[in-house]
Amino acid sequence: MSTLSRPRNGRLLAGVCAGLADRFGLSRTLVRIGWVILSLFPGPLWIAYVVLWFVMPTEGNARR
C-alpha cells in the first residue's frame, strides 16, 4: 500500500477520492461512485471530504 496523499494527476475535484483509492488499492471510479451514492444520504460526508482535502498532503509533498 502506498502512503495516503492526494495525487497531482487524475484529480477530479481535490483528489481525495483518488488518494483514498490509491491507498487502499481500489478503483478510483469505484470510490468516486461510492462517494456520490453516500453523499445522497444525510451525514457528515461533505465535512469529512473538506477535512481530508486540507489534511491529506499533495503527492510529492508527503511527509515521510
Side-chain angles (χ1 to χ4, degrees):
M1 280 193 228
S2 64
T3 59
L4 184 60
S5 63
R6 294 180 297 122
R8 291 187 185 271
N9 299 320
R11 295 181 178 188
L12 287 184
L13 183 60
V16 173
C17 290
L20 290 172
D22 292 348
R23 170 66 172 95
F24 295 107
L26 301 170
S27 164
R28 290 180 176 186
T29 304
L30 180 66
V31 172
R32 290 172 178 147
I33 290 171
W35 186 87
V36 168
I37 291 171
L38 289 175
S39 69
L40 298 174
F41 297 101
L45 190 62
W46 286 96
I47 295 169
Y49 188 90
V50 172
V51 168
L52 285 172
W53 187 348
F54 288 106
V55 172
M56 286 175 64
T58 303
E59 185 178 60
N61 295 337
R63 292 180 223 140
R64 300 200 187 268

